[in-house]
Every structure is written in structure tokens, then in C-alpha cells.
Amino acid sequence: MRLLFFGNNKVGWQIAEWLHGQGETMVGVVLHPEAKRKFGAEIIHATGIDPSQIIDGSTLREPATIEAIKALNPEVGVSALFGYILRREALQLLPAGCVNIHPAYLPYNRGSYPNVWSIIEGTPAGVTIHYIDEGVDTGDLIAQRQVTIEPTDTGGTLYQKLEQLSVDLFKETWPLISAGQAPRVLQAKEAGTTHRVRDVDALDEIDLDRTYTGRELLNILRARTFPPYKGAYLRDGDHKVYLRLELLNEDQL
């Protein structure tokens, strides 16, 4: 199948490299703008794509970009941690649909920072492969798998688990997708949770005059521990003091 790849981050690189190794025909790669790319050079190298076949994902609403995709004549799309919403104009150019790898156990934690919100809200953590529709992580489900959140997990360690599971689950599921035999399970759109990027801002400042339960404060601190990102902080006058939590099992002491 003629494949259009939408990718970013380490997961995007690993999946692009694997697809290329499987002999899949990639007709184009859609990446974040250069200033916002993560592992963009690795994705380009892994796919061996020609520069003329690289598309700036921030321009997906522009008629010229839609025409450029149309000229590539793709059949199916694969999106791996891609940060831009695909609208109808782009989706309708993919007759076999576009599948997305989302590091959350849908319908929980649609949108941003699922690793954070699974810890904060106690919702299931995992990975979902689903078809993209015009919503945000609301399309029909193909495959899912949960991971256990350990008491020692932070936002960083949970994210690493989700990264690896994303790659593993995609490799298992792709043969069905490419053969046109993948299941489609309607997602309960009225259920679950959704979060935006800015929602974590309300978490990050620890108010020293507010009352928290021990569980609530611990979960904020561990969910937002993900070096090198800044995470939670408290204020000392005009100065911010950032907090990172270290969690160890007894046998690690």
C-alpha cells in the first residue's frame, strides 16, 4: 500500500524505521516544522525519503499542501505521536483511512499528556491504535493494551513504558491494517476524558497555603517528574523552586 507517514518523536522514528524495513512504500512524510521537530532527521534518514516528499505538518490546512498530498496518491496514513489535527480535506485523500498510535487507553486521556493524567486521575494507562476521524482521539478502535502504573512510576518512567508499548503494539497490528482486515470498534465518545496542553499549567504551581491530601500532592509531584522538563514548582518570592520526586522500592535502598 502507498503510505503517507505523519510522525514525530522517538516513537515516530522507530515505527518509520520498522515500516521501511518491512518494504512498505512511503510516498511522503509529514513532519513538524523544523524548529518543533523531535527525531525529524532520524525519521527522514530511516525512510530514505526524498526532500520533495517531505511536508510541513503546520501547513495541512493550506490548499497547496492538500494538492501536494493528492499528487502523492497515498492509500493509507499512519500517524505516530504527530501533533497536528488532521482535517477532512487531508483525511479524504486516504481511501484506506489513517491510523493513529495514541499513548493512552482510550477513551481515557484523549489529547495531551496522557502519562500525567493517568497518575493524577487514577485512570487506566496504556496504548491505543485507532482510526482517525475529525475529532481528537475519538475514532474507531483497532487495538489496545494496558500497562500497570507502579507506585514508583513517575510521569517520565510511565512515558517510557508507553513509548515501548506503542511500538510493540503497532508491529503486532500493522499486518491486519495493511491487509485491510483490522477490526473497527466504535469508541464511546461520550465517555472517558480529554485534556489539552494548557491543562497541566494548573497542576504545576504548588500552593504552600493550600491543603492537599498526601495522595494528591504525591501524585502531582511524581506525575510531573520527567527530566529534563521543568514540572512542578513552588514560589520563593519571585523565584521558582522546581521539585522532582525520587521513588525507590525498599530493595533499591
Side-chain angles (χ1 to χ4, degrees):
M1 294 189 24
R2 294 172 59 82
L3 193 156
L4 183 63
F5 186 78
F6 302 80
N8 192 51
N9 219 309
K10 183 179 178 181
V11 171
W13 168 38
Q14 292 179 324
I15 289 177
E17 185 174 55
W18 183 80
L19 285 167
H20 184 69
Q22 297 298 301
E24 298 293 348
T25 302
M26 286 200 191
V27 297
V29 172
V30 186
L31 299 173
H32 289 195
E34 288 191 26
K36 296 182 179 181
R37 285 180 194 172
K38 295 180 180 179
F39 291 88
E42 289 85 349
I43 293 172
I44 293 169
H45 177 73
T47 57
I49 205 82
D50 187 89
S52 65
Q53 297 169 287
I54 300 171
I55 295 170
D56 181 348
S58 67
T59 68
L60 283 172
R61 294 191 182 187
E62 297 179 10
T65 299
I66 296 300
E67 287 301 314
I69 293 174
K70 186 176 181 179
L72 295 172
N73 193 28
E75 296 174 89
V76 66
V78 172
S79 172
L81 274 65
F82 184 69
Y84 292 88
I85 296 173
L86 302 185
R87 304 294 181 184
R88 178 182 300 175
E89 294 80 5
L91 292 174
Q92 67 185 6
L93 299 178
L94 302 164
C98 186
V99 298
N100 182 49
I101 302 100
H102 184 57
Y105 195 77
L106 295 176
Y108 300 103
N109 302 314
R110 300 183 184 103
S112 302
Y113 299 118
N115 57 316
V116 169
W117 294 106
S118 284
I119 293 174
I120 295 293
E121 298 178 339
T123 48
V127 169
T128 301
I129 298 175
H130 66 96
Y131 286 100
I132 294 179
D133 62 10
E134 293 186 64
V136 177
D137 302 322
T138 55
D140 293 349
L141 307 177
I142 300 172
Q144 293 185 286
R145 189 166 298 162
Q146 283 188 255
V147 297
T148 300
I149 303 175
E150 303 290 348
T152 53
D153 271 325
T154 63
T157 62
L158 180 56
Y159 185 80
Q160 290 169 0
K161 290 181 182 180
L162 296 172
E163 274 191 327
Q164 186 58 56
L165 182 57
S166 295
V167 176
D168 293 344
L169 186 59
F170 180 81
K171 289 179 180 180
E172 292 176 20
T173 309
W174 176 248
L176 287 175
I177 297 170
S178 63
Q181 299 174 354
R184 296 189 75 129
V185 178
L186 187 66
Q187 191 178 158
K189 297 183 181 181
E190 70 282 357
T193 57
T194 302
H195 298 285
R196 300 179 180 223
V197 171
R198 65 175 178 265
D199 291 346
V200 296
D201 294 341
L203 292 175
D204 280 349
E205 183 170 359
I206 304 301
D207 185 349
L208 295 179
D209 296 317
R210 174 189 158 188
T211 299
Y212 298 83
T213 67
R215 184 183 302 275
E216 183 181 11
L217 183 57
L218 176 66
N219 282 343
I220 292 172
L221 295 179
R222 72 186 185 115
R224 297 300 287 139
T225 295
F226 192 171
Y229 303 106
K230 291 180 178 180
Y233 64 91
L234 55 85
R235 289 189 182 273
D236 179 19
D238 294 331
H239 182 65
K240 292 181 181 179
V241 178
Y242 284 88
L243 308 169
R244 290 177 179 170
L245 199 60
E246 184 180 29
L247 297 157
L248 300 171
N249 283 315
E250 185 176 8
D251 59 5
Q252 295 176 293
L253 295 174

